[in-house]
PDB file of all heavy atoms in Angstrom:
ATOM      1  N   ASP A  33    -161.211  47.407   8.090  1.00 97.00           N
ATOM      2  CA  ASP A  33    -161.218  48.586   7.265  1.00 97.00           C
ATOM      3  C   ASP A  33    -161.833  48.203   5.909  1.00 97.00           C
ATOM      4  O   ASP A  33    -161.139  47.851   4.876  1.00 97.00           O
ATOM      5  CB  ASP A  33    -159.729  49.098   6.931  1.00 97.00           C
ATOM      6  CG  ASP A  33    -159.767  50.346   5.974  1.00 97.00           C
ATOM      7  OD1 ASP A  33    -160.750  50.936   5.793  1.00 97.00           O
ATOM      8  OD2 ASP A  33    -158.625  50.638   5.527  1.00 97.00           O
ATOM      9  N   THR A  34    -163.212  48.283   5.877  1.00 98.00           N
ATOM     10  CA  THR A  34    -163.953  47.931   4.661  1.00 98.00           C
ATOM     11  C   THR A  34    -165.226  48.748   4.579  1.00 98.00           C
ATOM     12  O   THR A  34    -165.475  49.582   5.459  1.00 98.00           O
ATOM     13  CB  THR A  34    -164.295  46.377   4.594  1.00 98.00           C
ATOM     14  OG1 THR A  34    -164.773  46.090   3.351  1.00 98.00           O
ATOM     15  CG2 THR A  34    -165.327  46.020   5.737  1.00 98.00           C
ATOM     16  N   TRP A  38    -167.820  48.425  -1.014  1.00 98.00           N
ATOM     17  CA  TRP A  38    -166.815  47.590  -1.507  1.00 98.00           C
ATOM     18  C   TRP A  38    -167.217  46.201  -1.618  1.00 98.00           C
ATOM     19  O   TRP A  38    -167.158  45.507  -2.575  1.00 98.00           O
ATOM     20  CB  TRP A  38    -165.450  47.651  -0.600  1.00 98.00           C
ATOM     21  CG  TRP A  38    -164.283  47.050  -1.398  1.00 98.00           C
ATOM     22  CD1 TRP A  38    -163.316  47.669  -2.112  1.00 98.00           C
ATOM     23  CD2 TRP A  38    -163.984  45.638  -1.381  1.00 98.00           C
ATOM     24  NE1 TRP A  38    -162.439  46.710  -2.591  1.00 98.00           N
ATOM     25  CE2 TRP A  38    -162.826  45.482  -2.148  1.00 98.00           C
ATOM     26  CE3 TRP A  38    -164.466  44.582  -0.768  1.00 98.00           C
ATOM     27  CZ2 TRP A  38    -162.199  44.286  -2.378  1.00 98.00           C
ATOM     28  CZ3 TRP A  38    -163.927  43.279  -1.011  1.00 98.00           C
ATOM     29  CH2 TRP A  38    -162.757  43.144  -1.793  1.00 98.00           C
ATOM     30  N   ARG A  42    -167.825  44.228  -5.132  1.00 98.00           N
ATOM     31  CA  ARG A  42    -166.736  43.336  -5.421  1.00 98.00           C
ATOM     32  C   ARG A  42    -167.189  41.827  -5.285  1.00 98.00           C
ATOM     33  O   ARG A  42    -166.600  40.925  -5.931  1.00 98.00           O
ATOM     34  CB  ARG A  42    -165.532  43.419  -4.532  1.00 98.00           C
ATOM     35  CG  ARG A  42    -164.816  44.728  -4.837  1.00 98.00           C
ATOM     36  CD  ARG A  42    -164.130  44.726  -6.244  1.00 98.00           C
ATOM     37  NE  ARG A  42    -163.386  45.856  -6.328  1.00 98.00           N
ATOM     38  CZ  ARG A  42    -161.987  45.888  -6.592  1.00 98.00           C
ATOM     39  NH1 ARG A  42    -161.379  44.692  -6.696  1.00 98.00           N
ATOM     40  NH2 ARG A  42    -161.383  46.991  -6.820  1.00 98.00           N
ATOM     41  N   THR A  43    -168.266  41.564  -4.541  1.00 98.00           N
ATOM     42  CA  THR A  43    -168.733  40.228  -4.174  1.00 98.00           C
ATOM     43  C   THR A  43    -170.150  39.893  -4.358  1.00 98.00           C
ATOM     44  O   THR A  43    -170.633  38.776  -4.576  1.00 98.00           O
ATOM     45  CB  THR A  43    -168.378  39.790  -2.693  1.00 98.00           C
ATOM     46  OG1 THR A  43    -169.229  40.461  -1.853  1.00 98.00           O
ATOM     47  CG2 THR A  43    -166.886  40.098  -2.279  1.00 98.00           C
ATOM     48  N   CYS A 117    -165.550  23.458  -0.975  1.00 98.00           N
ATOM     49  CA  CYS A 117    -166.840  24.029  -1.538  1.00 98.00           C
ATOM     50  C   CYS A 117    -167.483  23.081  -2.494  1.00 98.00           C
ATOM     51  O   CYS A 117    -168.670  23.165  -2.853  1.00 98.00           O
ATOM     52  CB  CYS A 117    -166.650  25.368  -2.142  1.00 98.00           C
ATOM     53  SG  CYS A 117    -165.834  26.526  -1.044  1.00 98.00           S
ATOM     54  N   ARG A 156    -159.428  41.593   6.284  1.00 98.00           N
ATOM     55  CA  ARG A 156    -160.573  42.178   5.544  1.00 98.00           C
ATOM     56  C   ARG A 156    -160.670  41.408   4.113  1.00 98.00           C
ATOM     57  O   ARG A 156    -161.740  41.348   3.464  1.00 98.00           O
ATOM     58  CB  ARG A 156    -160.440  43.560   5.144  1.00 98.00           C
ATOM     59  CG  ARG A 156    -159.323  43.993   4.342  1.00 98.00           C
ATOM     60  CD  ARG A 156    -159.302  45.472   4.113  1.00 98.00           C
ATOM     61  NE  ARG A 156    -158.276  45.887   3.124  1.00 98.00           N
ATOM     62  CZ  ARG A 156    -158.132  47.054   2.617  1.00 98.00           C
ATOM     63  NH1 ARG A 156    -158.996  48.044   2.965  1.00 98.00           N
ATOM     64  NH2 ARG A 156    -157.183  47.304   1.793  1.00 98.00           N
ATOM     65  N   GLY A 157    -159.580  40.800   3.674  1.00 97.00           N
ATOM     66  CA  GLY A 157    -159.497  40.113   2.373  1.00 97.00           C
ATOM     67  C   GLY A 157    -160.415  38.799   2.428  1.00 97.00           C
ATOM     68  O   GLY A 157    -160.680  38.267   1.400  1.00 97.00           O
ATOM     69  N   VAL A 160    -164.963  39.105   5.022  1.00 98.00           N
ATOM     70  CA  VAL A 160    -166.222  39.724   4.434  1.00 98.00           C
ATOM     71  C   VAL A 160    -166.968  38.583   3.574  1.00 98.00           C
ATOM     72  O   VAL A 160    -168.097  38.791   3.174  1.00 98.00           O
ATOM     73  CB  VAL A 160    -165.950  40.916   3.598  1.00 98.00           C
ATOM     74  CG1 VAL A 160    -165.246  41.958   4.522  1.00 98.00           C
ATOM     75  CG2 VAL A 160    -165.081  40.518   2.404  1.00 98.00           C
ATOM     76  N   LEU A 161    -166.291  37.471   3.411  1.00 98.00           N
ATOM     77  CA  LEU A 161    -166.789  36.549   2.408  1.00 98.00           C
ATOM     78  C   LEU A 161    -167.671  35.381   2.956  1.00 98.00           C
ATOM     79  O   LEU A 161    -168.579  34.922   2.273  1.00 98.00           O
ATOM     80  CB  LEU A 161    -165.676  35.837   1.568  1.00 98.00           C
ATOM     81  CG  LEU A 161    -164.750  36.832   0.931  1.00 98.00           C
ATOM     82  CD1 LEU A 161    -163.487  36.043   0.320  1.00 98.00           C
ATOM     83  CD2 LEU A 161    -165.443  37.617  -0.229  1.00 98.00           C
ATOM     84  N   LEU A 196    -155.615  28.645  -1.303  1.00 98.00           N
ATOM     85  CA  LEU A 196    -156.806  28.691  -0.402  1.00 98.00           C
ATOM     86  C   LEU A 196    -156.671  27.520   0.588  1.00 98.00           C
ATOM     87  O   LEU A 196    -156.868  26.320   0.183  1.00 98.00           O
ATOM     88  CB  LEU A 196    -158.075  28.538  -1.206  1.00 98.00           C
ATOM     89  CG  LEU A 196    -159.393  28.547  -0.486  1.00 98.00           C
ATOM     90  CD1 LEU A 196    -159.521  29.701   0.523  1.00 98.00           C
ATOM     91  CD2 LEU A 196    -160.655  28.486  -1.402  1.00 98.00           C
ATOM     92  N   MET A 221    -156.129  33.069   1.885  1.00 98.00           N
ATOM     93  CA  MET A 221    -156.567  32.945   0.521  1.00 98.00           C
ATOM     94  C   MET A 221    -155.971  34.068  -0.397  1.00 98.00           C
ATOM     95  O   MET A 221    -155.850  35.182  -0.044  1.00 98.00           O
ATOM     96  CB  MET A 221    -158.186  33.057   0.406  1.00 98.00           C
ATOM     97  CG  MET A 221    -158.660  32.908  -1.005  1.00 98.00           C
ATOM     98  SD  MET A 221    -160.367  32.963  -1.107  1.00 98.00           S
ATOM     99  CE  MET A 221    -160.700  34.786  -0.870  1.00 98.00           C
ATOM    100  N   GLY A 223    -157.132  35.695  -3.228  1.00 97.00           N
ATOM    101  CA  GLY A 223    -158.459  35.880  -3.798  1.00 97.00           C
ATOM    102  C   GLY A 223    -158.424  35.883  -5.326  1.00 97.00           C
ATOM    103  O   GLY A 223    -159.165  35.126  -5.977  1.00 97.00           O
ATOM    104  N   ASN A 224    -157.549  36.630  -5.910  1.00 96.00           N
ATOM    105  CA  ASN A 224    -157.417  36.771  -7.334  1.00 96.00           C
ATOM    106  C   ASN A 224    -157.196  35.504  -8.014  1.00 96.00           C
ATOM    107  O   ASN A 224    -157.786  35.113  -9.060  1.00 96.00           O
ATOM    108  CB  ASN A 224    -156.218  37.729  -7.690  1.00 96.00           C
ATOM    109  CG  ASN A 224    -156.754  39.135  -7.866  1.00 96.00           C
ATOM    110  OD1 ASN A 224    -157.769  39.271  -8.379  1.00 96.00           O
ATOM    111  ND2 ASN A 224    -155.944  40.079  -7.524  1.00 96.00           N
ATOM    112  N   VAL A 226    -157.700  32.410  -6.872  1.00 97.00           N
ATOM    113  CA  VAL A 226    -158.905  31.531  -6.637  1.00 97.00           C
ATOM    114  C   VAL A 226    -159.939  31.888  -7.657  1.00 97.00           C
ATOM    115  O   VAL A 226    -160.554  31.113  -8.297  1.00 97.00           O
ATOM    116  CB  VAL A 226    -159.430  31.641  -5.214  1.00 97.00           C
ATOM    117  CG1 VAL A 226    -160.676  30.751  -5.169  1.00 97.00           C
ATOM    118  CG2 VAL A 226    -158.327  31.206  -4.231  1.00 97.00           C
ATOM    119  N   PHE A 227    -160.223  33.195  -7.865  1.00 97.00           N
ATOM    120  CA  PHE A 227    -161.214  33.770  -8.806  1.00 97.00           C
ATOM    121  C   PHE A 227    -161.009  33.274 -10.202  1.00 97.00           C
ATOM    122  O   PHE A 227    -161.838  32.603 -10.753  1.00 97.00           O
ATOM    123  CB  PHE A 227    -161.159  35.241  -8.759  1.00 97.00           C
ATOM    124  CG  PHE A 227    -162.335  35.958  -9.398  1.00 97.00           C
ATOM    125  CD1 PHE A 227    -163.193  36.672  -8.692  1.00 97.00           C
ATOM    126  CD2 PHE A 227    -162.422  35.932 -10.765  1.00 97.00           C
ATOM    127  CE1 PHE A 227    -164.272  37.389  -9.291  1.00 97.00           C
ATOM    128  CE2 PHE A 227    -163.408  36.530 -11.434  1.00 97.00           C
ATOM    129  CZ  PHE A 227    -164.376  37.255 -10.687  1.00 97.00           C
ATOM    130  N   HIS A 258    -171.980  27.351  -6.968  1.00 98.00           N
ATOM    131  CA  HIS A 258    -171.475  27.643  -5.660  1.00 98.00           C
ATOM    132  C   HIS A 258    -171.565  29.175  -5.456  1.00 98.00           C
ATOM    133  O   HIS A 258    -171.301  29.959  -6.387  1.00 98.00           O
ATOM    134  CB  HIS A 258    -170.041  27.180  -5.524  1.00 98.00           C
ATOM    135  CG  HIS A 258    -169.401  27.663  -4.438  1.00 98.00           C
ATOM    136  ND1 HIS A 258    -169.861  27.404  -3.128  1.00 98.00           N
ATOM    137  CD2 HIS A 258    -168.109  28.285  -4.128  1.00 98.00           C
ATOM    138  CE1 HIS A 258    -169.038  28.008  -2.178  1.00 98.00           C
ATOM    139  NE2 HIS A 258    -167.987  28.409  -2.837  1.00 98.00           N
ATOM    140  N   ALA A 260    -170.035  32.022  -4.208  1.00 97.00           N
ATOM    141  CA  ALA A 260    -168.856  32.672  -3.710  1.00 97.00           C
ATOM    142  C   ALA A 260    -168.675  34.133  -4.069  1.00 97.00           C
ATOM    143  O   ALA A 260    -168.347  34.931  -3.180  1.00 97.00           O
ATOM    144  CB  ALA A 260    -167.563  31.916  -4.204  1.00 97.00           C
ATOM    145  N   ASN A 261    -169.066  34.492  -5.149  1.00 98.00           N
ATOM    146  CA  ASN A 261    -168.914  35.888  -5.721  1.00 98.00           C
ATOM    147  C   ASN A 261    -169.791  36.084  -6.938  1.00 98.00           C
ATOM    148  O   ASN A 261    -169.754  35.234  -7.895  1.00 98.00           O
ATOM    149  CB  ASN A 261    -167.480  36.079  -6.087  1.00 98.00           C
ATOM    150  CG  ASN A 261    -167.169  37.562  -6.363  1.00 98.00           C
ATOM    151  OD1 ASN A 261    -167.935  38.235  -7.115  1.00 98.00           O
ATOM    152  ND2 ASN A 261    -166.045  38.045  -5.870  1.00 98.00           N
ATOM    153  N   ARG A 263    -169.542  37.955  -9.334  1.00 98.00           N
ATOM    154  CA  ARG A 263    -168.803  38.183 -10.552  1.00 98.00           C
ATOM    155  C   ARG A 263    -168.314  36.895 -11.127  1.00 98.00           C
ATOM    156  O   ARG A 263    -168.232  36.731 -12.345  1.00 98.00           O
ATOM    157  CB  ARG A 263    -167.625  39.134 -10.229  1.00 98.00           C
ATOM    158  CG  ARG A 263    -168.062  40.565  -9.970  1.00 98.00           C
ATOM    159  CD  ARG A 263    -166.756  41.503  -9.852  1.00 98.00           C
ATOM    160  NE  ARG A 263    -166.056  41.235  -8.689  1.00 98.00           N
ATOM    161  CZ  ARG A 263    -164.822  41.095  -8.685  1.00 98.00           C
ATOM    162  NH1 ARG A 263    -164.030  41.284  -9.785  1.00 98.00           N
ATOM    163  NH2 ARG A 263    -164.064  40.835  -7.556  1.00 98.00           N
ATOM    164  N   ILE A 264    -168.025  35.875 -10.269  1.00 98.00           N
ATOM    165  CA  ILE A 264    -167.752  34.559 -10.613  1.00 98.00           C
ATOM    166  C   ILE A 264    -169.001  33.863 -11.374  1.00 98.00           C
ATOM    167  O   ILE A 264    -168.855  33.362 -12.497  1.00 98.00           O
ATOM    168  CB  ILE A 264    -167.201  33.731  -9.609  1.00 98.00           C
ATOM    169  CG1 ILE A 264    -165.957  34.199  -8.933  1.00 98.00           C
ATOM    170  CG2 ILE A 264    -167.036  32.174 -10.033  1.00 98.00           C
ATOM    171  CD1 ILE A 264    -165.393  33.400  -7.774  1.00 98.00           C
ATOM    172  N   ASN A 288    -170.545  33.117   1.340  1.00 98.00           N
ATOM    173  CA  ASN A 288    -170.046  31.814   0.953  1.00 98.00           C
ATOM    174  C   ASN A 288    -170.101  30.879   2.021  1.00 98.00           C
ATOM    175  O   ASN A 288    -169.322  31.016   3.048  1.00 98.00           O
ATOM    176  CB  ASN A 288    -168.478  32.034   0.452  1.00 98.00           C
ATOM    177  CG  ASN A 288    -167.858  30.823  -0.025  1.00 98.00           C
ATOM    178  OD1 ASN A 288    -168.359  29.650   0.171  1.00 98.00           O
ATOM    179  ND2 ASN A 288    -166.759  30.935  -0.672  1.00 98.00           N
ATOM    180  N   PHE A 318    -166.817  24.862  -6.975  1.00 98.00           N
ATOM    181  CA  PHE A 318    -165.403  25.070  -7.008  1.00 98.00           C
ATOM    182  C   PHE A 318    -164.932  25.342  -5.513  1.00 98.00           C
ATOM    183  O   PHE A 318    -165.600  26.052  -4.897  1.00 98.00           O
ATOM    184  CB  PHE A 318    -165.020  26.159  -7.945  1.00 98.00           C
ATOM    185  CG  PHE A 318    -163.601  26.455  -7.959  1.00 98.00           C
ATOM    186  CD1 PHE A 318    -162.698  25.670  -8.814  1.00 98.00           C
ATOM    187  CD2 PHE A 318    -163.009  27.376  -7.150  1.00 98.00           C
ATOM    188  CE1 PHE A 318    -161.377  25.909  -8.786  1.00 98.00           C
ATOM    189  CE2 PHE A 318    -161.686  27.589  -7.050  1.00 98.00           C
ATOM    190  CZ  PHE A 318    -160.836  26.885  -7.968  1.00 98.00           C
ATOM    191  N   GLY A 319    -163.770  24.786  -5.242  1.00 98.00           N
ATOM    192  CA  GLY A 319    -163.308  25.024  -3.816  1.00 98.00           C
ATOM    193  C   GLY A 319    -161.866  24.708  -3.681  1.00 98.00           C
ATOM    194  O   GLY A 319    -161.119  24.435  -4.552  1.00 98.00           O
TER     195      GLY A 319
HETATM  196  O1  UT7 B 401    -165.417  29.277  -2.260  1.00 50.26           O
HETATM  197  C1  UT7 B 401    -164.358  29.291  -3.130  1.00 50.26           C
HETATM  198  C2  UT7 B 401    -163.305  30.027  -2.665  1.00 50.26           C
HETATM  199  N1  UT7 B 401    -163.454  31.578  -2.683  1.00 50.26           N
HETATM  200  C3  UT7 B 401    -163.707  32.290  -3.811  1.00 50.26           C
HETATM  201  O2  UT7 B 401    -164.135  31.811  -4.886  1.00 50.26           O
HETATM  202  C4  UT7 B 401    -163.309  33.713  -3.806  1.00 50.26           C
HETATM  203  C5  UT7 B 401    -162.586  34.116  -5.027  1.00 50.26           C
HETATM  204  N2  UT7 B 401    -162.118  35.515  -5.041  1.00 50.26           N
HETATM  205  C6  UT7 B 401    -162.889  36.619  -4.868  1.00 50.26           C
HETATM  206  O3  UT7 B 401    -164.078  36.537  -4.704  1.00 50.26           O
HETATM  207  C7  UT7 B 401    -162.218  37.956  -4.981  1.00 50.26           C
HETATM  208  O4  UT7 B 401    -160.856  37.803  -5.360  1.00 50.26           O
HETATM  209  C8  UT7 B 401    -162.217  38.752  -3.665  1.00 50.26           C
HETATM  210  C9  UT7 B 401    -163.673  39.291  -3.429  1.00 50.26           C
HETATM  211  C10 UT7 B 401    -161.806  37.925  -2.521  1.00 50.26           C
HETATM  212  C11 UT7 B 401    -161.353  40.032  -3.859  1.00 50.26           C
HETATM  213  O5  UT7 B 401    -161.724  40.827  -4.913  1.00 50.26           O
HETATM  214  P1  UT7 B 401    -160.780  41.316  -5.993  1.00 50.26           P
HETATM  215  O6  UT7 B 401    -161.432  42.173  -7.019  1.00 50.26           O
HETATM  216  O7  UT7 B 401    -159.978  40.125  -6.494  1.00 50.26           O
HETATM  217  O8  UT7 B 401    -159.814  42.232  -5.117  1.00 50.26           O
HETATM  218  P2  UT7 B 401    -158.249  42.282  -4.753  1.00 50.26           P
HETATM  219  O9  UT7 B 401    -157.915  40.986  -3.935  1.00 50.26           O
HETATM  220  O10 UT7 B 401    -157.527  42.284  -6.114  1.00 50.26           O
HETATM  221  O11 UT7 B 401    -158.059  43.515  -3.973  1.00 50.26           O
HETATM  222  C12 UT7 B 401    -158.251  44.833  -4.615  1.00 50.26           C
HETATM  223  C13 UT7 B 401    -158.108  45.873  -3.534  1.00 50.26           C
HETATM  224  C14 UT7 B 401    -156.762  45.741  -2.738  1.00 50.26           C
HETATM  225  O12 UT7 B 401    -156.288  47.026  -2.467  1.00 50.26           O
HETATM  226  P3  UT7 B 401    -155.114  47.696  -3.393  1.00 50.26           P
HETATM  227  O13 UT7 B 401    -153.990  46.639  -3.215  1.00 50.26           O
HETATM  228  O14 UT7 B 401    -155.613  47.651  -4.741  1.00 50.26           O
HETATM  229  O15 UT7 B 401    -154.915  48.929  -2.701  1.00 50.26           O
HETATM  230  C15 UT7 B 401    -157.283  45.105  -1.497  1.00 50.26           C
HETATM  231  O16 UT7 B 401    -156.379  45.370  -0.272  1.00 50.26           O
HETATM  232  O17 UT7 B 401    -159.156  45.725  -2.608  1.00 50.26           O
HETATM  233  C16 UT7 B 401    -158.658  45.670  -1.204  1.00 50.26           C
HETATM  234  N3  UT7 B 401    -159.484  44.883  -0.479  1.00 50.26           N
HETATM  235  C17 UT7 B 401    -160.567  45.447   0.249  1.00 50.26           C
HETATM  236  N4  UT7 B 401    -160.965  46.753   0.388  1.00 50.26           N
HETATM  237  C18 UT7 B 401    -162.038  46.945   1.170  1.00 50.26           C
HETATM  238  C19 UT7 B 401    -159.441  43.542  -0.226  1.00 50.26           C
HETATM  239  N5  UT7 B 401    -160.536  43.310   0.560  1.00 50.26           N
HETATM  240  C20 UT7 B 401    -161.143  44.405   0.920  1.00 50.26           C
HETATM  241  C21 UT7 B 401    -162.226  44.721   1.721  1.00 50.26           C
HETATM  242  N6  UT7 B 401    -162.700  45.965   1.776  1.00 50.26           N
HETATM  243  N7  UT7 B 401    -162.967  43.779   2.377  1.00 50.26           N
END
Side-chain angles (χ1 to χ4, degrees):
D33 181 15
T34 190
W38 192 96
R42 294 294 184 117
T43 72
C117 308
R156 70 174 183 173
V160 302
L161 304 173
L196 178 53
M221 184 176 74
N224 265 324
V226 176
F227 191 110
H258 174 48
N261 187 319
R263 293 185 293 133
I264 295 178
N288 179 349
F318 176 85

